[in-house]
Amino acid sequence: MTILKSSFIAIAAASLLASCGSGSAPIISTPVENIDMLPLKITPISDAQLKMWSDLDLQNDTIPGMGVDRTYTEIIKNRKGQKVIVGVIDSGVDIEHEDLKNVIWTNPGEIAGNNKDDDGNGYVDDIHGWNFLGDIVAENLEYVRIVKKLNTKYEGKTEASVSAADREEFALYQKAKAEMSKEIEQTNANVTQYTGILSQLKPAHAAMTKKLGKADYSKADLAGITNPTEAEQQQIGLLTQMLNYDDTIPAFIKQVEGGVSYFQGRLDSHFNMDRNFRAEVLKDDADDASTKYYGNNDVDGPDPKKEDAKHGTHVSGIIAAQRNNGVGMNGVAQNVEIMVVRAVPDGDEYDKDIANAIRYAVDNGAKVINTSFGKYYSTHPEWVIDAIKYAAKKDVLIVNAAGNEGINLDENIVYPNDQTKTGAEYSDTFLTVGALNYKYGGELVANFSNYGKTNVDVFGPGVKIWATTPLNTYEYLQGTSMAAPNVAGVAAMIRSYYPKLSAKQVKQVLMDSGLTTKTPVVLGGDPSNTAPFSSISTSGKMVNMYNAFIMASKM
């Protein structure tokens, strides 16, 4: 991608003296401003920096992180905050992870293992949260469920043959069916492509392993083979090309096998027309909003390897992995407890589950809720909208991922959200977050991130984020799914140290205190599609914890 460079000079300082909303000593610090006057980073980002780039700072590190480290060292120091519960509505969380086990919420009203609803909230033994999916892991996509539901009614019909009253529903059916057909075709093509690569790669690798006496050969090793046969020349060419994608061929083979497994898994689950996963496993009707007390208390999900909890574990670590414990990594927030609400399967979430999950988190004490999921079809959006309004009424901030299709959300409806395209907002405590890259300049916005002047509120770090994964492991993952918890961590810290601020005020602080730039940025990974960074979200800014604390202290 094209990096657009500008001239920069040092930032001018201005002093700020403000009293602290929590009653502690006032913050005497200078907010970061005028970042277009800061120098660009000219050296490559180091491995150590990459693992913590979202904590770093444009002013001190020339990396567009959130200023987390300098907030702790320059502002928080010995200040004390109060405990904040953050609800993580996701795929589940490994609550025994070495870096999370001490920050997992425990329901004070429940007695573990007695099979009773001790606190009377309707959920039996909900010690660390609730699992609205039960033992479900795989699921259909929403548009597949729409096709399955309406197939009998509309299969083979034309618009002229349906009644006027049914035409809107028929149009939805046609749109869903067309998208399903397109995606199935593409997924089948991917399976064929990846399988074809493996069919050539594995025998070539076996031959070169035998010839060279080792499996982890390099390009230089291949180039050093003398007098290769015609067959060996073809094998050397293929393997040399594949080594552009990974350090060793065994590692690349593992990647390709993972691709085959992923795409075949989509055919078996996301697009499966023959199975009703919810009816088979959960025994619950997704179209009946009257039932709330289904599922179980197994918040890390049914997989003994906890692979289904990977996404939620990563999200939770970004927010609140235990800080300074000598293990793994530091989450953004301290003084936080993670309430686990499992409601996001491998496939599209159900509106009923998300609505109930939001209400569960609100009713059990969460002050911030992270929602790192989304879809473009919804059969009961009003249920989720009502839950979002309920959270606002109860002074709870929802921090939501914008999505990873690289599109303008002002022109495309996504669920959940707090408005339809550019219509009026349903809630003033719902914050939608786009994803930043660690490269400042034209590539500042992640090439996958959705954007929108009306529908995206702010941006936060979302490319190559290092965080917790199940069974005491750590990985880089990326997406607006990672940007949202980075911002949720900052929100939790504001609520911890400035508890008198409302959820609405915290949202405004996050938006108003951020950093902006006039630099044009590439959108959707398309170099021909650029816009000023300040024009692609409501605030036009990237969240900055350091500035947020200074602004919060004034309020």
Side-chain angles (χ1 to χ4, degrees), residues 328-343:
M329 42 86 65
N330 286 337
V332 172
Q334 62 184 14
N335 302 329
V336 162
E337 293 180 345
I338 297 293
M339 175 192 293
V340 186
V341 193
R342 185 170 183 264

Side-chain angles (χ1 to χ4, degrees), residues 357-374:
I358 292 172
R359 290 176 181 273
Y360 175 90
V362 170
D363 290 342
N364 288 280
K367 300 306 291 181
V368 177
I369 297 173
N370 190 88
T371 55
S372 285
F373 52 83

Side-chain angles (χ1 to χ4, degrees), residues 371 388 397-398 400 416-418 427-432 457 507:
T371 55
I388 291 170
L397 179 68
I398 297 175
N400 181 60
N417 208 340
D418 62 343
S427 162
D428 54 13
T429 68
F430 190 96
L431 185 77
T432 297
D457 294 305
K507 174 182 175 178

Side-chain angles (χ1 to χ4, degrees), residues 230-478:
E230 184 176 343
E232 286 174 340
Q233 288 177 21
Q234 292 178 348
Q235 292 166 345
I236 290 168
L238 172 66
L239 295 169
T240 300
Q241 182 183 358
M242 296 304 109
L243 282 170
N244 291 325
Y245 301 105
D246 215 311
D247 294 334
T248 68
I249 293 299
F252 182 67
I253 288 175
K254 186 176 180 181
Q255 276 195 53
V256 179
E257 288 176 336
V260 173
S261 177
Y262 169 73
F263 289 115
Q264 186 58 54
R266 294 200 74 195
L267 294 172
D268 296 339
S269 60
H270 295 176
F271 308 119
N272 193 316
M273 293 287 288
D274 299 321
R275 293 186 61 187
N276 185 328
F277 297 97
R278 192 178 187 90
E280 292 172 22
V281 180
L282 195 57
K283 316 295 184 189
D284 175 77
D285 183 357
D287 295 318
D288 180 4
S290 67
T291 55
K292 297 195 301 180
Y293 308 114
Y294 53 91
N296 59 44
N297 69 345
D298 183 13
V299 293
D300 58 9
D303 184 358
K305 296 182 179 180
K306 302 184 181 181
E307 188 63 26
D308 53 323
K310 184 174 183 176
H311 191 273
T313 302
H314 201 267
V315 164
S316 297
I318 293 169
I319 297 169
Q322 189 173 354
R323 294 185 62 84
N324 305 319
N325 62 347
V327 173
M329 42 86 65
N330 286 337
V332 172
Q334 62 184 14
N335 302 329
V336 162
E337 293 180 345
I338 297 293
M339 175 192 293
V340 186
V341 193
R342 185 170 183 264
V344 184
D346 178 13
D348 277 344
E349 62 278 1
Y350 281 94
D351 299 320
K352 175 180 176 177
D353 295 344
I354 298 307
N356 284 334
I358 292 172
R359 290 176 181 273
Y360 175 90
V362 170
D363 290 342
N364 288 280
K367 300 306 291 181
V368 177
I369 297 173
N370 190 88
T371 55
S372 285
F373 52 83
K375 58 187 181 180
Y376 295 91
Y377 290 80
S378 175
T379 52
H380 299 291
E382 69 280 3
W383 296 350
V384 179
I385 291 169
D386 285 346
I388 291 170
K389 291 177 179 178
Y390 181 73
K393 183 179 179 182
K394 296 292 185 177
D395 191 39
V396 177
L397 179 68
I398 297 175
V399 183
N400 181 60
N404 304 324
E405 286 67 42
I407 60 176
N408 186 347
L409 293 186
D410 292 353
E411 301 170 357
N412 299 272
I413 300 174
V414 67
Y415 306 93
N417 208 340
D418 62 343
Q419 60 192 129
T420 301
K421 292 189 176 179
T422 56
E425 291 187 346
Y426 314 127
S427 162
D428 54 13
T429 68
F430 190 96
L431 185 77
T432 297
V433 183
L436 295 174
N437 194 0
Y438 52 83
K439 298 178 180 179
Y440 182 56
E443 294 177 274
L444 177 63
V445 174
N447 59 16
F448 53 77
S449 181
N450 291 346
Y451 55 94
K453 180 65 176 177
T454 299
N455 277 269
V456 175
D457 294 305
V458 291
F459 278 76
V463 171
K464 292 201 77 170
I465 305 299
W466 180 258
T468 48
T469 44
L471 303 178
N472 298 334
T473 59
Y474 303 81
E475 289 184 29
Y476 288 109
L477 296 179
Q478 62 185 21

Side-chain angles (χ1 to χ4, degrees), residues 145-182:
R145 296 194 287 249
I146 290 171
V147 172
K148 287 162 69 172
K149 186 176 180 179
L150 298 178
N151 234 356
T152 302
K153 185 175 181 180
Y154 294 120
E155 179 68 23
K157 291 191 176 182
T158 63
E159 183 178 1
S161 67
V162 300
S163 67
D166 286 339
R167 283 188 184 157
E168 183 176 350
E169 184 180 72
F170 178 68
L172 173 64
Y173 168 76
Q174 286 186 307
K175 181 181 177 184
K177 190 171 183 179
E179 182 149 358
M180 185 181 75
S181 298
K182 180 188 73 173

